[in-house]
Amino acid sequence: MIIVSILRRKDNGITGFEVEGHAGYAKAGEDIVCAGVSAVTVGTVNSIEALTGIVMDSRMKNGFLSADLPATARTEAEEQAQLLLASLVVMLKSIEESYGKYIQIQDVII
């Protein structure tokens, strides 16, 4: 199962996320759940950098991805990053609605 932790501030702003595990929906190379989660998470990190100029602190290894926004003052770029991260949550929840046996999303207040 893939576990996604959305890291939030007390004001509900998203500071980052962690993804770990494998879906187990199908064999490696054919697992559409893993592929979907990988596409939307990596795509979001890349989009934040390309569209806002904010470089997330990210780490990726087999079955694990974490990405955190740097601590910055509230700027227009940070607001745009928040919108992209909120979009990530919508996309992941769409995957969870269809494949809930293989993915779990949780909010973690930090």
Side-chain angles (χ1 to χ4, degrees):
M1 174 177 274
I2 297 172
I3 305 296
V4 181
S5 298
I6 305 299
L7 308 175
R8 294 186 181 270
R9 299 185 301 255
K10 290 181 182 176
D11 68 1
N12 209 33
I14 300 172
T15 63
F17 62 90
E18 294 181 353
V19 181
E20 57 186 321
H22 294 283
Y25 177 79
K27 64 183 179 178
E30 296 178 12
D31 194 320
I32 62 172
V33 178
C34 276
V37 170
S38 294
V40 300
T41 54
V42 173
T44 297
V45 172
N46 292 339
S47 292
I48 288 172
E49 184 172 347
L51 300 173
T52 72
I54 295 173
V55 178
M56 296 187 80
D57 177 20
S58 59
R59 295 172 301 285
M60 185 166 45
K61 58 184 173 184
N62 186 29
F64 178 80
L65 168 64
S66 70
D68 298 294
L69 287 174
T72 61
R74 301 291 186 265
T75 63
E76 183 178 339
E78 204 269 343
E79 289 176 17
Q80 292 170 336
Q82 286 297 310
L83 181 60
L84 291 166
L85 288 166
S87 175
L88 168 67
V89 173
V90 170
M91 290 184 280
L92 289 169
K93 286 187 177 188
S94 294
I95 295 170
E96 184 182 42
E97 285 176 14
S98 297
Y99 301 97
K101 180 178 175 184
Y102 305 97
I103 178 173
Q104 177 185 352
I105 302 166
Q106 59 190 13
D107 284 336
V108 176
I109 307 297
I110 58 168

